[in-house]
Amino acid sequence: MDRLTELHRHIDCSIRASTLAELARQSGLKEIKSEKEVREHFWLTRPMNSLNEVLERLVIFQKVLSSVAILEQVACEVVEDAHQEGIGELELRYSPNFASGLSKIPWEDVLNAFVRGLTRGSAKTGVKTGLICILGRGGPPSLADEVIDFAVAHKKNFIAVDLAGPEENFPCRLYKEAFRRAVDEGFPVTIHAGEACGPENIWEAIDLLGATRIGHGVHAVEDKELMKRLAQDRILLETCPTSNTITQAVSKWEEHPLPQFLEAGIPVSISTDDPGIFGITLQEEFERCKKYLGLTDSDIHQINQTAHRHTFLK
Ligand SMILES: [Zn+2]
């Protein structure tokens, strides 16, 4: 098989199990004592009650990402691990305010550390990488401007912008002005939408925020007109089926709408989202799609080609 393209992976939620255990030990965190504990207790492998429960899990990453040296190491390892999974093109994303949330490391230093790590990882493995800047939902209104200003000021280090975090109470329209500025600056846009909320958030992501790709988008299946629009305008859905079953965006694996998206002619990719939380590789994600959704090797091959065509990497 050709080298794989992964479009949707959060860099700070992809920490290697052994590294997470070691960093937790160094930081004196009681929650995690060994790699075995990461694998058996920290990783979420069964459905949770909601996306919010998963988001709460992320605090541990903020706790351990406490120095630029650690950020650089983690970024480099994320690329090495992706290479092991057969990935040749890797888009990684993170939210500057989340990554600095506890450590208070300046945003610029976090970015530079990630870039150094990615550069090192790419030099070792040949994997092509790029960073997407995430604006997190739910912050004060000034945060939206701050994050977009940051992305614009570091245009050479970001390949696109994204909106993520709890969809309820924070519809896309709240971020219209911020994303208009990003689009004017020439940034491609992908938006986490239709994961915890319905199709209306996907419409807004496309029509108000200028998204050409949608993170998850599972609830698009409830709206025939939207399905047509996605197919017609070649708007790609970055599906992450394991993540969707664990956050309960879909109630069970067999009900994931990925096959319906394919049937409707919508461009679709498959990603792991957060391998450091769900304990999954891209290959395993493909295997599950074959097992639970009846996808064939040829489908997987086509989906990988589609991901390659829709990458924001230059
Ligand atoms: Zn995501």
Side-chain angles (χ1 to χ4, degrees):
M1 194 173 197
D2 302 333
R3 296 301 289 176
L4 305 171
T5 298
E6 178 155 62
L7 302 181
H8 192 127
R9 185 177 287 209
H10 295 255
I11 188 167
D12 42 2
C13 304
S14 302
I15 304 177
R16 202 180 270 177
S18 55
T19 300
L20 182 58
E22 176 57 21
L23 294 176
R25 193 192 59 75
Q26 283 171 21
S27 312
L29 297 181
K30 292 186 195 75
E31 296 98 312
I32 295 173
K33 291 192 184 65
S34 65
E35 181 180 343
K36 188 167 176 272
E37 218 168 314
V38 173
R39 293 176 182 277
E40 290 175 5
H41 301 293
F42 180 75
W43 280 352
L44 301 175
T45 51
R46 275 186 296 277
M48 305 298 284
N49 292 321
S50 70
L51 174 62
N52 286 342
E53 252 182 285
V54 178
L55 296 177
E56 283 162 18
R57 202 90 183 180
L58 309 185
V59 179
I60 196 116
F61 297 125
Q62 285 181 305
K63 288 184 183 167
V64 300
L65 294 172
S66 57
S67 75
V68 289
I70 291 170
L71 290 160
E72 182 178 336
Q73 176 199 343
V74 164
C76 182
E77 290 179 359
V78 167
V79 182
E80 290 171 346
D81 292 349
H83 178 69
Q84 289 294 320
E85 293 169 42
I87 293 169
E89 290 179 317
L90 178 65
E91 294 189 18
L92 293 162
R93 54 186 78 196
Y94 81 101
S95 148
N97 61 297
F98 175 83
S100 298
L102 286 182
S103 68
K104 305 296 175 203
I105 300 169
W107 290 9
E108 186 144 12
D109 295 351
V110 171
L111 175 61
N112 289 336
F114 277 152
V115 170
R116 281 195 303 276
L118 296 184
T119 307
R120 207 146 53 81
S122 296
K124 273 189 188 172
T125 60
V127 174
K128 209 169 160 184
T129 62
L131 281 173
I132 297 174
C133 182
I134 299 179
L135 165 56
R137 289 181 169 99
S142 60
L143 182 66
D145 287 330
E146 240 182 296
V147 172
I148 299 301
D149 285 347
F150 181 71
V152 170
H154 298 89
K155 225 174 185 175
K156 68 174 194 324
N157 293 129
F158 288 115
I159 56 171
V161 290
D162 178 20
L163 179 66
E167 272 183 89
E168 289 145 71
N169 306 322
F170 301 101
C172 291
R173 58 183 170 273
L174 297 178
Y175 304 95
K176 191 175 154 186
E177 295 311 319
F179 277 84
R180 176 173 298 159
R181 231 152 38 77
V183 170
D184 287 346
E185 289 287 344
F187 277 112
V189 175
T190 176
I191 301 287
H192 281 74
E195 180 186 14
C197 286
E200 65 288 347
N201 228 18
I202 304 174
W203 282 110
E204 288 189 11
I206 301 166
D207 289 332
L208 303 182
L209 307 189
T212 56
R213 290 184 359 204
I214 298 291
H216 303 288
V218 286
H219 290 285
V221 73
E222 294 157 18
D223 184 335
K224 279 204 178 73
E225 282 307 306
L226 178 58
M227 296 274 279
K228 269 191 221 157
R229 173 77 186 279
L230 295 168
Q232 249 161 30
D233 288 358
R234 313 304 299 152
I235 293 167
L236 175 128
L237 299 180
E238 303 159 0
T239 67
C240 308
T242 293
S243 167
N244 296 151
T245 54
I246 291 171
T247 64
Q248 288 286 280
V250 296
S251 52
K252 57 179 192 224
W253 247 103
E254 292 80 355
E255 284 172 17
H256 197 285
L258 204 167
Q260 285 142 281
F261 296 148
L262 288 177
E263 181 86 356
I266 297 168
V268 166
S269 65
I270 295 173
S271 293
T272 54
D273 203 8
D274 304 307
I277 301 176
F278 305 130
I280 188 169
T281 64
L282 188 55
Q283 295 290 355
E284 285 166 343
E285 194 78 52
F286 291 158
E287 288 309 314
R288 292 177 190 186
C289 287
K290 289 200 264 181
K291 181 175 169 192
Y292 297 112
L293 305 177
L295 264 54
T296 62
D297 284 331
S298 159
D299 293 328
I300 300 288
H301 179 74
Q302 293 293 336
I303 287 169
N304 190 52
Q305 295 289 317
T306 304
H308 171 68
R309 275 195 299 274
H310 284 77
T311 178
F312 295 141
L313 290 165
K314 286 167 197 109

